[in-house]
Amino acid sequence: MDINVKEPFDRDRQFALKRQAVIRAAGLDFCKRGYHNTSMTDIASNLGLTKAALYYYVKNKGEVLFECHQQAYDAMDILLEKKLIWKNGLEKLGDLYCDFVRMLTASGISLLTDVNSLSEGNKIKVLKRRRKIESKIIKIVKQGQSDGSIREGDPRLHVFFFMGALNWLNAWYDNSGHFKGEDIAVHFATQMRLGIAAA
Amino acid sequence: MDINVKEPFDRDRQFALKRQAVIRAAGLDFCKRGYHNTSMTDIASNLGLTKAALYYYVKNKGEVLFECHQQAYDAMDILLEKKLIWKNGLEKLGDLYCDFVRMLTASGISLLTDVNSLSEGNKIKVLKRRRKIESKIIKIVKQGQSDGSIREGDPRLHVFFFMGALNWLNAWYDNSGHFKGEDIAVHFATQMRLGIAAA
DNA sequence: AATAAATTTGACTCAAGAGTTAAATTTATA
DNA sequence: TATAAATTTAACTCTTGAGTCAAATTTATT
């Protein structure tokens, strides 16, 4: 048996899980009110904790912001690596994009835009990761242009366009609101696909 | 002759122009580094001025942020009111969107996203204006769905998608960079149109 | 030359919030 | 029951940056 029944008693594991929860909660706060309009005390009290307890899990506020970014990119990387067989670049991209939206609406992970509040070192790391992901997506677009499923045009502009829609998602999406995550995912993926599909 | 040769000597006029310049410069700074990562001293020194001089033109930092939003919405309203005869909703929307991108890349006006750093009162005003603009655009989409130029689907989701691309524009566009504003405008308008066009 | 507007200088106050600390207390583990 | 981990309490320090102010200086207008 692989299931570890003792897991809930594994303190390191509990610590890691709680730390993740802190990051995720902070991410939601940053998303809703903005990094600088959210104090460590806010984050703590939203978790039913005290500021001092937060500092038991994280070094400082900048680290929290950094980890929020990491979390989002980790999730995106996992979706990018999901290797299946696709008819063509367009299909591949459509499903990937759908997964991105699903992930952002369902997981509590926020794709933050505030890169300028990171320390210089972390900012570089985050931008590097973002570019890496972007370039993987651009590669899929080029693939689609080669196989004839995606229309011509600057691949970077193709990507900037629909990734913008994705980045804006967090600004307005509210999981207690009118739209269901899955519906948005399907709608957005369709609109994305049609925008770049070959005639 | 309507041209007022004395204009450069009209002090009220000069004051207003300089105030506008302050807002616009601040908008560019906020866009590049974020509202909270930009100090009043930064804004001043980017204009070759001193902080005290800034306060000769504006009441406080919050007012500057508010005016940045107003400036962008003023510009969008002007484009929205540009009434011409269109074949159908899709054409109308395509041209409008193209104008939006042109405006954002050419005018030095920034479409800021940081609404949470506004005072409660100003935040309400800004969100009200944003919703008003959004609903005008949604109306055009519905128009297009009636006249058969735009495919079915929730009009709000159609709009959220391509307005996201617009909001994200400021985050990456650099007027000294690789892409020409006009090229982006044409590309984005095309991609927007194809995403919602009827089959 | 006289006046008013625009701007600089530099020092200052004030508030908010990050981050720390030590001691006490609660909770889980063995 | 003894121990170690998790968390609270509450007070504290420090930094940053907004906003103010008064006096001096420069620039434009008449």
Side-chain angles (χ1 to χ4, degrees), chain A residues 95-134:
Chain A
D95 282 23
L96 177 65
Y97 196 72
C98 199
D99 278 348
F100 278 170
V101 177
R102 276 196 194 105
M103 183 269 286
L104 291 176
T105 54
S107 67
I109 292 175
S110 309
L111 187 53
L112 299 178
T113 53
D114 190 346
V115 161
N116 293 297
S117 302
L118 293 161
S119 71
E120 210 43 48
N122 283 344
K123 180 176 166 175
I124 289 170
K125 283 183 203 157
V126 164
L127 288 180
K128 207 168 268 178
R129 266 194 101 168
R130 179 196 285 175
R131 267 194 296 275
K132 201 166 188 172
I133 290 175
E134 262 171 17

Side-chain angles (χ1 to χ4, degrees), chain A residues 31-160:
Chain A
C31 211
K32 202 163 212 88
R33 288 173 251 296
Y35 178 72
H36 289 283
N37 304 311
T38 306
S39 69
M40 289 300 264
T41 311
D42 290 337
I43 298 169
S45 79
N46 282 345
L47 282 161
L49 287 180
T50 219
K51 181 167 65 153
L54 267 201
Y55 282 97
Y56 184 72
Y57 292 103
V58 297
K59 212 169 67 252
N60 54 47
K61 197 183 176 187
E63 186 192 57
V64 177
L65 181 60
F66 179 62
E67 292 297 340
C68 285
H69 278 100
Q70 296 286 46
Q71 225 173 36
Y73 291 144
D74 287 347
M76 290 176 88
D77 276 339
I78 288 172
L79 297 175
L80 273 161
E81 270 149 32
K82 198 175 156 190
K83 281 217 193 309
L84 297 171
I85 300 115
W86 301 102
K87 282 204 289 282
N88 55 45
L90 184 64
E91 290 293 313
K92 188 169 168 179
L93 197 58
D95 282 23
L96 177 65
Y97 196 72
C98 199
D99 278 348
F100 278 170
V101 177
R102 276 196 194 105
M103 183 269 286
L104 291 176
T105 54
S107 67
I109 292 175
S110 309
L111 187 53
L112 299 178
T113 53
D114 190 346
V115 161
N116 293 297
S117 302
L118 293 161
S119 71
E120 210 43 48
N122 283 344
K123 180 176 166 175
I124 289 170
K125 283 183 203 157
V126 164
L127 288 180
K128 207 168 268 178
R129 266 194 101 168
R130 179 196 285 175
R131 267 194 296 275
K132 201 166 188 172
I133 290 175
E134 262 171 17
S135 76
K136 279 183 189 173
I137 299 174
I138 289 172
K139 197 171 279 179
I140 304 178
V141 168
K142 286 179 178 164
Q143 220 175 282
Q145 290 178 323
S146 298
D147 68 33
S149 60
I150 294 177
R151 68 184 173 81
E152 291 310 309
D154 192 311
R156 274 166 304 176
L157 288 182
H158 281 209
V159 171
F160 286 167

Side-chain angles (χ1 to χ4, degrees), chain B residues 13-58:
Chain B
R13 178 102 193 100
Q14 287 324 106
F15 180 91
L17 284 174
K18 287 188 190 170
R19 198 185 119 95
Q20 282 305 300
V22 165
I23 310 286
R24 213 165 279 213
L28 291 169
D29 289 344
F30 292 162
C31 211
K32 203 164 212 90
R33 288 174 249 297
Y35 178 71
H36 288 283
N37 305 309
T38 306
S39 69
M40 289 300 263
T41 311
D42 289 338
I43 298 169
S45 80
N46 282 347
L47 282 160
L49 288 180
T50 217
K51 180 168 65 153
L54 266 201
Y55 281 96
Y56 185 71
Y57 292 102
V58 299

